[in-house]
Structure formats: C-alpha cells, structure tokens
Amino acid sequence: MIPDFLYGTAWKEEQTASLVEMALRAGFRAIDTANQRRHYFEAAVGEGLAAAYRDGVVKREDLFLQTKYTYQQGQDHRLPFDPAADLYIQVAQSLASSLEHLGTSYVDSFVLHGPASGRGWSTEDAEVWTAMVKEREAGRARVLGVSNVSYRHLEMMIAHHGEAPAFVQNRCFARNGWDRDIRAFCRSYQITYQGFSLLTANPEILHHPLVRNAAGASGATPAQVIFRVARGVGMVPMTGTSDPTHMRQDLDSLNLPLTEEIIHAIESLAG
C-alpha cells in the first residue's frame, strides 16, 4: 500500500491523540510516527487510533501506519530499548514497543530514522537494517524505509544489502530542487519518496507569484498548490497541521486541476 498523503505526528505532545483522531475523521488514512519520545508521543498516537476504531471511523485494515527506529543519539532519556543491548536487540525492542503503543500486530512501514553518520552507510546502519529485515520477515513490518538520507547513503546501502528500501523520507527544500537527486535515485530503484516540511522549509515558494497565481486560478491556497505539485512529481507529501480546515484542504489538494506545465514550472523554482 502506497499512501496518497501522510499525516505526521511529531511535536504534538498532549494534543497528539486528539489530532490523530481529527485527522482520521478528516479523511487521512496514513499516519507517520516514531518511537522517539523526544519529538513524538507514539502511545498517544495509539490512543487516537483506538478512539477512531471505537467510533467506527476506520478499521485497522483501512490504515497505513508507519513508525521508526531512532538511534540512542537521537533520543532523550525516555528510551524504548535497553541502551546496553546490541543494536539488533534494540531494533526488536523498539518495534515491539511501537506495536504495543499503536495497538497493532504489525506496521505497514518500519523506517530507520536517519543513519548513524552523515558520512555514509556505517556498520551500525548495516546491523540495524539487517535487524529490520528480520522484523519484516517475521511479519511485524510489511515494508522497510529510511529517512534523512543522502545519495551516498543510498548508494552504499544498496551495494551492501542488495536491496533498496521501499520508502525514503526526507525534508524537502525547493532550493535543492525539491531533493531532485534523491528523487531521481528513488525513481531508478522504484523507491517511493516521502517529502516532509514541504511548507515550513519553503516559505519563499509559498509567496512566489507563480504559486500564488496558480492558487488564484484554481480557487486554492498556496499550500494546496505545493502539495498538489508534490504529488504531481511523484512524492507522497506529509502534513502535520493541527487545523481541521487545513486538514481538509490538504486532502482536497490532491484533486486540484493543475497542468503538467504548471507542476513542472513550480518544481523548477529555486532549484
């Protein structure tokens, strides 16, 4: 299952459960989280899911649930694993905790929340990925992904493991051509690219005349135009809005009638 749109749950703290439930009621069917209490409240994501299940809004099989394993250096003191354990045990403990948080026996996507080093795919990353593969083989994760990666990370990873991730999730800056090189790499290996911070990383694009004119011509907001462009160039966009109106607008953006010419013109902005 490849989602059309992800609802992101970072930095929501005590509002997490109510916002997840609100997003599901608005029509989102793909939820992104992480077992990283520093930035996510994954147990509260599970509370929001449970509330939606109880009220018959959705069933588990209707949803795409994605979580992440985060290295200790990306965590605070609230760890979902034994820091003294080997990495492969940490991965298993982290996912077991996620499944408990989310009230499910499996996740649709299990993501490495950033490699251990910015310099390349490390022995630690290889150990973690191998452990993640075992979780997939055991049926606790349907597919695997990586986030916050460079071109070099992906090259080294595929060379080492002989397989590509199903998903790559990166912060997407227009000034870098909307992560053009990584997206091209993903296309060549049939990897689905997930883009986050599409709005917050690109405030100058939201105010660009081309975007504003496209919004005006289609009766949409600039944010809707950006999300539609993201889908038009093959990304799965992610939003983390806490506004119910924006939730509905974000989903409605998928139906905006933008021409290929406009989509590629906006893709070229600042790139």
Side-chain angles (χ1 to χ4, degrees), residues 28-225:
F28 281 94
R29 293 296 179 263
I31 303 294
D32 174 87
T33 187
N35 207 344
Q36 180 201 32
R37 191 60 188 86
R38 179 180 179 183
H39 296 309
Y40 295 79
F41 193 177
E42 190 179 58
V45 172
E47 293 172 12
L49 293 171
Y53 298 154
R54 282 194 303 271
D55 287 353
V57 177
V58 290
K59 298 177 182 178
R60 169 63 184 95
E61 55 266 31
D62 299 328
L63 299 181
F64 175 94
L65 299 181
Q66 176 169 274
T67 192
K68 308 179 192 78
Y69 165 79
T70 308
Y71 281 111
Q72 184 178 354
Q73 61 262 34
Q75 305 270 3
D76 61 15
H77 63 282
R78 296 166 290 183
L79 296 171
F81 47 69
D82 177 1
D86 289 338
L87 287 172
Y88 76 92
I89 294 175
Q90 291 184 19
V91 169
Q93 290 175 340
S94 180
L95 184 55
S97 171
S98 289
L99 297 179
E100 182 178 355
H101 289 160
L102 300 173
T104 184
S105 61
Y106 70 96
V107 290
D108 297 276
S109 175
F110 187 32
V111 173
L112 172 56
H113 201 184
S117 164
R119 294 185 296 275
W121 193 253
S122 66
T123 55
E124 291 86 358
D125 299 325
E127 182 178 350
V128 165
W129 186 259
T130 299
M132 290 172 65
V133 168
K134 290 181 179 178
E135 295 299 315
R136 182 184 64 194
E137 291 172 346
R140 291 183 286 270
R142 294 282 170 86
V143 300
L144 306 178
V146 292
S147 68
N148 303 303
V149 288
S150 68
Y151 198 99
R152 177 172 170 79
H153 284 131
L154 291 171
E155 282 188 318
M156 293 177 67
M157 174 195 182
I158 292 172
H160 185 90
H161 297 283
E163 72 164 321
F167 295 106
V168 162
Q169 184 187 98
N170 272 3
R171 180 173 280 109
C172 195
F173 292 98
R175 65 175 177 266
N176 294 330
W178 306 93
D179 217 6
R180 181 187 294 113
D181 291 346
I182 298 293
R183 290 191 294 114
F185 186 98
C186 287
R187 282 193 300 273
S188 67
Y189 282 91
Q190 298 182 314
I191 301 166
T192 299
Y193 181 97
Q194 302 175 358
F196 70 94
S197 296
L198 288 164
L199 305 184
T200 55
N202 303 295
E204 72 285 359
I205 300 301
L206 286 168
H207 298 289
H208 193 282
L210 185 57
V211 172
R212 290 200 166 273
N213 290 342
S218 54
T221 67
Q224 287 180 301
V225 170

Side-chain angles (χ1 to χ4, degrees), residues 219-233:
T221 67
Q224 287 180 301
V225 170
I226 295 302
F227 287 134
R228 176 65 183 87
V229 168
R231 283 301 291 153
V233 301

